[in-house]
Amino acid sequence: MSAREKSPASSRSSSATPPPIGESASPAANSAQGTSNANASASGNAPPAGTAAAPQGAFVMPPGMTMPPGMQFLPYFPQPAAAAAAAAAAAASGGSGGGAASDSSDPNGAAAQPQQMMIHPAFIPQMYSYPYPGMLTAGMKLKRRQVKNACTNCQKACKKCDDERPCPRCVKYGIADECQDSVRKERRKGIKRGSYKKKGELTSLSSFWFGRGDFFRLSGCIYLMLRTSRRW
DNA sequence: GCCATCGGACTTTCAACCAA
DNA sequence: TGGTTGAAAGTCCGATGGCC
Ligand SMILES: [Zn+2]
Ligand SMILES: [Zn+2]
């Protein structure tokens, strides 16, 4: 497509045009860890699902569903000051900061004051793996997670990038200093679209929704809220 | 086996549309 | 005005071929 500009990566100083990093897995495997970096780091310091005693107010997985490794569902009521910090942490961690749960300001401390329910920083990276793995049923497949903005090197090579800068791929190939966010075009405005079709019956409607990122991006949170009887 | 290249499947984003 | 739609813009899987 026009957006795709295939330029030989070798035009760069070369010795080091980066090859794929950890890209040998099957599509399914890739998707499953899709969140690759996020999950990898998250699983490092989160207790295995179902093994830890559920803390007060912790989410209990419904029958037939399993808590994915590294996942944790904890109601999060940050204090005003903590809220900003948490938001910053979440933003900083992007998709790769699964370990944020180890914050010294653990939001789930007993002293946390209910102010406004927020997404626990540790949960945010997981939200980008949807359908939320626990909701996955036979026939559904995990969607591939994409970074918001690949670095210029990965973009040229059409390879998987990361939210971190320098990204792991650039680091591995010694071109960390060249790792920069690619510049996104501004979307054109004023394009007329004609009238919209209406979606049909329920079945196609539901499959439609299950194919939408907008839906799954929030589904984990909504699902959690629906399944718990706690007051949010 | 390692790596670059790249076609195209797939995902994300967000302005236009539209019903309430 | 908020929710829905759908296409633009983007990511990156995986096939292919060259090189050592
Ligand atoms: Zn990158
Ligand atoms: Zn990079």
Side-chain angles (χ1 to χ4, degrees), chain A residues 151-154 161 165-171 175 178-180:
Chain A
C151 74
T152 52
N153 296 321
C154 294
C161 193
R165 290 292 175 270
C167 72
R169 190 165 176 275
C170 288
V171 169
I175 52 173
E178 296 178 28
C179 185
Q180 299 174 337

Side-chain angles (χ1 to χ4, degrees), chain A residues 22-34:
Chain A
E23 289 152 350
S24 54
S26 67
N30 271 331
S31 304
Q33 65 175 27

